Amino acid sequence: ARLSTAVASPRSVRPPNRRFEPSAHDYGAMAKSKNHTGHNQVYKNHRNGIKRTRRPKKMSMQGMNCKFVRNQAYAKRGMRCTAEEKATRLAAQKEAQKKMEEKKASERALKARLTWVVASPRSAVHRFAASSPALEPDFAAMAKSKNHTGHNQVYKNHRNGIKRTRRPKKMSMQGMNCKFVRNQAYAKRGMRCTAEEKATRLAAQKEAQKKMEEKKATERANRLKELEEMKDAEKLKAANKQAKKDAQGKKAEGRFAARPKLLAAAMCLMLMCR
C-alpha cells in the first residue's frame, strides 16, 4: 500500500523496511501444512486399556535372516562342552572384552583431545578426519526420514466396519479351461429359440428318451435270458458229469464181483493138474 502511492522513480522511492519484508524462505514455510498430530492418540490407546504382551518362552525366528538363524544353530551346537572347555572359553572371552574396552577408551580420549581444536578446513582435525573416515559424521544416516507408518490404519479400517464381500450374481470364468468355456458359450447360444422350436425339441427329446428306455429294457431281457441259458447249461453239464462218474463206479463194482469166481476156477485147475 505504501509503495502504490509513491512515484516510481529510483531516487524518489524510499527503500522499504527490510525488517518486515517476507523472504522466499518465509513463503516456503507458509506453504507447509500440518500433516500429523498426536493429539487424541493417548485417549484412543487407553480406551480399552493397554495390555502388556505376554513374554514368549522362546524368541521367534520368523522373518530373521536365514543365514543368521543357521549360524546361530551351529553356534549353539558348538557351545555344548565340558566344564574345563567352558572355563577356557570364558577366560578367552573376558580377555577379548577387555581389549575391546581399552580400544574404545583410547578412541574416546582421542575424540576428547580433538574437540577443542578449531575445525577449519586446513586444521589438524580436518586432516585427521580425512585420513580416518570412522570419525566423520554419518550425514547419509542423518538425512534419512520416516516414510511410512501403520499407526492409525486399524482404526481407519474399522471406522465404517469391514464389510463382507457381496456374492456375485454371475460366476466368474477366470481360470477355467478355455475349451470348456467356449463350448459352454456355443451350447448357450444354441439354446436360444422360439416357442415352436422349443416344443419340437421337447417332443424329439421325449421320443429319444422313449427309444432309449425301450432299448435298455430289451437289453435287460436279453441279458436275463442269456443268464438263464447259462445256468441251465451248467446244470446239464454237472448232471452228465455225475452220470459218467456213476457209470464208472458200477463197472468197477462188477469187475470186483467177478474176481472170486475166477479165483475158484483157477484153484480147481491147479488141483486137477496135481
Side-chain angles (χ1 to χ4, degrees), residues 175-196:
M176 284 191 181
N177 188 3
C178 56
K179 192 180 284 187
F180 164 75
V181 174
R182 191 166 57 244
N183 293 342
Q184 191 183 41
Y186 294 153
K188 285 180 179 177
R189 200 178 302 161
M191 286 170 69
R192 298 173 193 159
C193 59
T194 60
E196 294 81 7

PDB file of all heavy atoms in Angstrom, residues 175-196:
ATOM      1  N   GLY A 175      -9.796 -68.446 -14.997  1.00  0.00           N
ATOM      2  CA  GLY A 175      -9.028 -69.615 -14.581  1.00  0.00           C
ATOM      3  C   GLY A 175      -9.612 -70.938 -15.043  1.00  0.00           C
ATOM      4  O   GLY A 175      -9.000 -71.983 -14.835  1.00  0.00           O
ATOM      5  N   MET A 176     -10.804 -70.939 -15.666  1.00  0.00           N
ATOM      6  CA  MET A 176     -11.406 -72.186 -16.139  1.00  0.00           C
ATOM      7  C   MET A 176     -10.752 -72.614 -17.457  1.00  0.00           C
ATOM      8  O   MET A 176     -10.085 -71.821 -18.122  1.00  0.00           O
ATOM      9  CB  MET A 176     -12.905 -72.015 -16.338  1.00  0.00           C
ATOM     10  CG  MET A 176     -13.701 -72.002 -15.062  1.00  0.00           C
ATOM     11  SD  MET A 176     -15.458 -72.128 -15.403  1.00  0.00           S
ATOM     12  CE  MET A 176     -16.122 -72.061 -13.762  1.00  0.00           C
ATOM     13  N   ASN A 177     -11.008 -73.858 -17.830  1.00  0.00           N
ATOM     14  CA  ASN A 177     -10.490 -74.376 -19.094  1.00  0.00           C
ATOM     15  C   ASN A 177     -11.144 -73.619 -20.245  1.00  0.00           C
ATOM     16  O   ASN A 177     -12.374 -73.551 -20.350  1.00  0.00           O
ATOM     17  CB  ASN A 177     -10.782 -75.879 -19.186  1.00  0.00           C
ATOM     18  CG  ASN A 177     -10.105 -76.512 -20.377  1.00  0.00           C
ATOM     19  OD1 ASN A 177      -9.370 -75.855 -21.099  1.00  0.00           O
ATOM     20  ND2 ASN A 177     -10.366 -77.785 -20.586  1.00  0.00           N
ATOM     21  N   CYS A 178     -10.306 -73.057 -21.150  1.00  0.00           N
ATOM     22  CA  CYS A 178     -10.833 -72.212 -22.223  1.00  0.00           C
ATOM     23  C   CYS A 178     -11.719 -73.012 -23.177  1.00  0.00           C
ATOM     24  O   CYS A 178     -12.709 -72.499 -23.717  1.00  0.00           O
ATOM     25  CB  CYS A 178      -9.685 -71.536 -22.968  1.00  0.00           C
ATOM     26  SG  CYS A 178      -8.474 -72.699 -23.612  1.00  0.00           S
ATOM     27  N   LYS A 179     -11.411 -74.301 -23.387  1.00  0.00           N
ATOM     28  CA  LYS A 179     -12.224 -75.129 -24.277  1.00  0.00           C
ATOM     29  C   LYS A 179     -13.625 -75.345 -23.679  1.00  0.00           C
ATOM     30  O   LYS A 179     -14.639 -75.264 -24.391  1.00  0.00           O
ATOM     31  CB  LYS A 179     -11.528 -76.472 -24.496  1.00  0.00           C
ATOM     32  CG  LYS A 179     -12.129 -77.302 -25.612  1.00  0.00           C
ATOM     33  CD  LYS A 179     -11.407 -78.621 -25.788  1.00  0.00           C
ATOM     34  CE  LYS A 179     -10.080 -78.428 -26.489  1.00  0.00           C
ATOM     35  NZ  LYS A 179      -9.454 -79.735 -26.796  1.00  0.00           N
ATOM     36  N   PHE A 180     -13.671 -75.579 -22.378  1.00  0.00           N
ATOM     37  CA  PHE A 180     -14.966 -75.749 -21.711  1.00  0.00           C
ATOM     38  C   PHE A 180     -15.793 -74.470 -21.785  1.00  0.00           C
ATOM     39  O   PHE A 180     -17.010 -74.503 -22.064  1.00  0.00           O
ATOM     40  CB  PHE A 180     -14.743 -76.146 -20.254  1.00  0.00           C
ATOM     41  CG  PHE A 180     -15.947 -75.985 -19.395  1.00  0.00           C
ATOM     42  CD1 PHE A 180     -16.998 -76.877 -19.472  1.00  0.00           C
ATOM     43  CD2 PHE A 180     -16.053 -74.933 -18.499  1.00  0.00           C
ATOM     44  CE1 PHE A 180     -18.125 -76.734 -18.694  1.00  0.00           C
ATOM     45  CE2 PHE A 180     -17.167 -74.775 -17.705  1.00  0.00           C
ATOM     46  CZ  PHE A 180     -18.203 -75.673 -17.811  1.00  0.00           C
ATOM     47  N   VAL A 181     -15.145 -73.318 -21.559  1.00  0.00           N
ATOM     48  CA  VAL A 181     -15.869 -72.037 -21.595  1.00  0.00           C
ATOM     49  C   VAL A 181     -16.417 -71.781 -22.996  1.00  0.00           C
ATOM     50  O   VAL A 181     -17.567 -71.341 -23.173  1.00  0.00           O
ATOM     51  CB  VAL A 181     -14.931 -70.892 -21.147  1.00  0.00           C
ATOM     52  CG1 VAL A 181     -15.614 -69.544 -21.309  1.00  0.00           C
ATOM     53  CG2 VAL A 181     -14.499 -71.090 -19.704  1.00  0.00           C
ATOM     54  N   ARG A 182     -15.613 -72.063 -24.029  1.00  0.00           N
ATOM     55  CA  ARG A 182     -16.040 -71.847 -25.410  1.00  0.00           C
ATOM     56  C   ARG A 182     -17.224 -72.755 -25.765  1.00  0.00           C
ATOM     57  O   ARG A 182     -18.232 -72.312 -26.344  1.00  0.00           O
ATOM     58  CB  ARG A 182     -14.861 -72.089 -26.341  1.00  0.00           C
ATOM     59  CG  ARG A 182     -15.089 -71.649 -27.752  1.00  0.00           C
ATOM     60  CD  ARG A 182     -13.797 -71.592 -28.529  1.00  0.00           C
ATOM     61  NE  ARG A 182     -13.090 -72.866 -28.523  1.00  0.00           N
ATOM     62  CZ  ARG A 182     -11.895 -73.061 -27.974  1.00  0.00           C
ATOM     63  NH1 ARG A 182     -11.273 -72.089 -27.338  1.00  0.00           N
ATOM     64  NH2 ARG A 182     -11.303 -74.243 -28.037  1.00  0.00           N
ATOM     65  N   ASN A 183     -17.119 -74.039 -25.396  1.00  0.00           N
ATOM     66  CA  ASN A 183     -18.212 -74.970 -25.684  1.00  0.00           C
ATOM     67  C   ASN A 183     -19.485 -74.596 -24.930  1.00  0.00           C
ATOM     68  O   ASN A 183     -20.601 -74.756 -25.442  1.00  0.00           O
ATOM     69  CB  ASN A 183     -17.787 -76.398 -25.330  1.00  0.00           C
ATOM     70  CG  ASN A 183     -16.694 -76.905 -26.239  1.00  0.00           C
ATOM     71  OD1 ASN A 183     -16.480 -76.360 -27.311  1.00  0.00           O
ATOM     72  ND2 ASN A 183     -15.994 -77.934 -25.806  1.00  0.00           N
ATOM     73  N   GLN A 184     -19.316 -74.096 -23.713  1.00  0.00           N
ATOM     74  CA  GLN A 184     -20.485 -73.675 -22.940  1.00  0.00           C
ATOM     75  C   GLN A 184     -21.179 -72.482 -23.606  1.00  0.00           C
ATOM     76  O   GLN A 184     -22.409 -72.415 -23.656  1.00  0.00           O
ATOM     77  CB  GLN A 184     -20.039 -73.300 -21.520  1.00  0.00           C
ATOM     78  CG  GLN A 184     -21.185 -73.090 -20.555  1.00  0.00           C
ATOM     79  CD  GLN A 184     -20.699 -72.662 -19.192  1.00  0.00           C
ATOM     80  OE1 GLN A 184     -19.787 -71.852 -19.089  1.00  0.00           O
ATOM     81  NE2 GLN A 184     -21.290 -73.184 -18.147  1.00  0.00           N
ATOM     82  N   ALA A 185     -20.352 -71.566 -24.143  1.00  0.00           N
ATOM     83  CA  ALA A 185     -20.939 -70.410 -24.846  1.00  0.00           C
ATOM     84  C   ALA A 185     -21.714 -70.869 -26.078  1.00  0.00           C
ATOM     85  O   ALA A 185     -22.824 -70.376 -26.364  1.00  0.00           O
ATOM     86  CB  ALA A 185     -19.840 -69.434 -25.237  1.00  0.00           C
ATOM     87  N   TYR A 186     -21.159 -71.827 -26.833  1.00  0.00           N
ATOM     88  CA  TYR A 186     -21.857 -72.349 -28.012  1.00  0.00           C
ATOM     89  C   TYR A 186     -23.155 -73.041 -27.616  1.00  0.00           C
ATOM     90  O   TYR A 186     -24.191 -72.902 -28.291  1.00  0.00           O
ATOM     91  CB  TYR A 186     -20.954 -73.331 -28.778  1.00  0.00           C
ATOM     92  CG  TYR A 186     -19.730 -72.702 -29.389  1.00  0.00           C
ATOM     93  CD1 TYR A 186     -18.578 -73.446 -29.616  1.00  0.00           C
ATOM     94  CD2 TYR A 186     -19.702 -71.352 -29.734  1.00  0.00           C
ATOM     95  CE1 TYR A 186     -17.445 -72.869 -30.169  1.00  0.00           C
ATOM     96  CE2 TYR A 186     -18.584 -70.779 -30.284  1.00  0.00           C
ATOM     97  CZ  TYR A 186     -17.453 -71.533 -30.502  1.00  0.00           C
ATOM     98  OH  TYR A 186     -16.357 -70.962 -31.039  1.00  0.00           O
ATOM     99  N   ALA A 187     -23.124 -73.806 -26.524  1.00  0.00           N
ATOM    100  CA  ALA A 187     -24.326 -74.509 -26.071  1.00  0.00           C
ATOM    101  C   ALA A 187     -25.410 -73.512 -25.650  1.00  0.00           C
ATOM    102  O   ALA A 187     -26.593 -73.675 -25.976  1.00  0.00           O
ATOM    103  CB  ALA A 187     -23.973 -75.434 -24.911  1.00  0.00           C
ATOM    104  N   LYS A 188     -25.002 -72.444 -24.933  1.00  0.00           N
ATOM    105  CA  LYS A 188     -25.989 -71.436 -24.518  1.00  0.00           C
ATOM    106  C   LYS A 188     -26.579 -70.723 -25.734  1.00  0.00           C
ATOM    107  O   LYS A 188     -27.777 -70.426 -25.778  1.00  0.00           O
ATOM    108  CB  LYS A 188     -25.322 -70.419 -23.591  1.00  0.00           C
ATOM    109  CG  LYS A 188     -25.063 -70.939 -22.189  1.00  0.00           C
ATOM    110  CD  LYS A 188     -24.397 -69.871 -21.336  1.00  0.00           C
ATOM    111  CE  LYS A 188     -24.156 -70.379 -19.926  1.00  0.00           C
ATOM    112  NZ  LYS A 188     -23.453 -69.376 -19.100  1.00  0.00           N
ATOM    113  N   ARG A 189     -25.727 -70.452 -26.740  1.00  0.00           N
ATOM    114  CA  ARG A 189     -26.211 -69.797 -27.943  1.00  0.00           C
ATOM    115  C   ARG A 189     -27.194 -70.704 -28.698  1.00  0.00           C
ATOM    116  O   ARG A 189     -28.167 -70.234 -29.290  1.00  0.00           O
ATOM    117  CB  ARG A 189     -25.016 -69.452 -28.825  1.00  0.00           C
ATOM    118  CG  ARG A 189     -25.310 -68.372 -29.853  1.00  0.00           C
ATOM    119  CD  ARG A 189     -24.066 -68.042 -30.646  1.00  0.00           C
ATOM    120  NE  ARG A 189     -22.979 -67.596 -29.801  1.00  0.00           N
ATOM    121  CZ  ARG A 189     -21.702 -67.587 -30.165  1.00  0.00           C
ATOM    122  NH1 ARG A 189     -21.344 -68.028 -31.362  1.00  0.00           N
ATOM    123  NH2 ARG A 189     -20.763 -67.163 -29.342  1.00  0.00           N
ATOM    124  N   GLY A 190     -26.938 -72.019 -28.686  1.00  0.00           N
ATOM    125  CA  GLY A 190     -27.829 -72.941 -29.379  1.00  0.00           C
ATOM    126  C   GLY A 190     -29.150 -73.141 -28.671  1.00  0.00           C
ATOM    127  O   GLY A 190     -30.121 -73.612 -29.277  1.00  0.00           O
ATOM    128  N   MET A 191     -29.229 -72.796 -27.384  1.00  0.00           N
ATOM    129  CA  MET A 191     -30.476 -72.966 -26.636  1.00  0.00           C
ATOM    130  C   MET A 191     -31.461 -71.825 -26.868  1.00  0.00           C
ATOM    131  O   MET A 191     -32.614 -71.902 -26.427  1.00  0.00           O
ATOM    132  CB  MET A 191     -30.164 -73.078 -25.143  1.00  0.00           C
ATOM    133  CG  MET A 191     -29.547 -74.410 -24.753  1.00  0.00           C
ATOM    134  SD  MET A 191     -28.925 -74.410 -23.078  1.00  0.00           S
ATOM    135  CE  MET A 191     -30.444 -74.324 -22.160  1.00  0.00           C
ATOM    136  N   ARG A 192     -31.017 -70.749 -27.523  1.00  0.00           N
ATOM    137  CA  ARG A 192     -31.926 -69.630 -27.797  1.00  0.00           C
ATOM    138  C   ARG A 192     -32.832 -70.018 -28.980  1.00  0.00           C
ATOM    139  O   ARG A 192     -32.354 -70.297 -30.083  1.00  0.00           O
ATOM    140  CB  ARG A 192     -31.135 -68.379 -28.160  1.00  0.00           C
ATOM    141  CG  ARG A 192     -30.234 -67.893 -27.049  1.00  0.00           C
ATOM    142  CD  ARG A 192     -29.361 -66.750 -27.546  1.00  0.00           C
ATOM    143  NE  ARG A 192     -28.274 -66.467 -26.615  1.00  0.00           N
ATOM    144  CZ  ARG A 192     -27.162 -65.830 -26.935  1.00  0.00           C
ATOM    145  NH1 ARG A 192     -26.969 -65.432 -28.183  1.00  0.00           N
ATOM    146  NH2 ARG A 192     -26.234 -65.603 -26.032  1.00  0.00           N
ATOM    147  N   CYS A 193     -34.147 -70.073 -28.759  1.00  0.00           N
ATOM    148  CA  CYS A 193     -35.088 -70.483 -29.805  1.00  0.00           C
ATOM    149  C   CYS A 193     -36.476 -69.944 -29.492  1.00  0.00           C
ATOM    150  O   CYS A 193     -36.743 -69.451 -28.390  1.00  0.00           O
ATOM    151  CB  CYS A 193     -35.126 -72.000 -29.934  1.00  0.00           C
ATOM    152  SG  CYS A 193     -35.596 -72.828 -28.412  1.00  0.00           S
ATOM    153  N   THR A 194     -37.390 -70.100 -30.452  1.00  0.00           N
ATOM    154  CA  THR A 194     -38.777 -69.657 -30.271  1.00  0.00           C
ATOM    155  C   THR A 194     -39.571 -70.734 -29.535  1.00  0.00           C
ATOM    156  O   THR A 194     -39.069 -71.824 -29.261  1.00  0.00           O
ATOM    157  CB  THR A 194     -39.402 -69.363 -31.642  1.00  0.00           C
ATOM    158  OG1 THR A 194     -39.363 -70.564 -32.424  1.00  0.00           O
ATOM    159  CG2 THR A 194     -38.641 -68.257 -32.362  1.00  0.00           C
ATOM    160  N   ALA A 195     -40.864 -70.437 -29.289  1.00  0.00           N
ATOM    161  CA  ALA A 195     -41.723 -71.381 -28.561  1.00  0.00           C
ATOM    162  C   ALA A 195     -41.987 -72.635 -29.392  1.00  0.00           C
ATOM    163  O   ALA A 195     -42.006 -73.760 -28.861  1.00  0.00           O
ATOM    164  CB  ALA A 195     -43.035 -70.694 -28.193  1.00  0.00           C
ATOM    165  N   GLU A 196     -42.212 -72.460 -30.725  1.00  0.00           N
ATOM    166  CA  GLU A 196     -42.471 -73.614 -31.581  1.00  0.00           C
ATOM    167  C   GLU A 196     -41.251 -74.529 -31.654  1.00  0.00           C
ATOM    168  O   GLU A 196     -41.358 -75.767 -31.552  1.00  0.00           O
ATOM    169  CB  GLU A 196     -42.860 -73.155 -32.995  1.00  0.00           C
ATOM    170  CG  GLU A 196     -44.176 -72.399 -33.075  1.00  0.00           C
ATOM    171  CD  GLU A 196     -44.034 -70.937 -32.682  1.00  0.00           C
ATOM    172  OE1 GLU A 196     -42.875 -70.486 -32.486  1.00  0.00           O
ATOM    173  OE2 GLU A 196     -45.070 -70.272 -32.537  1.00  0.00           O
TER     174      GLU A 196
END
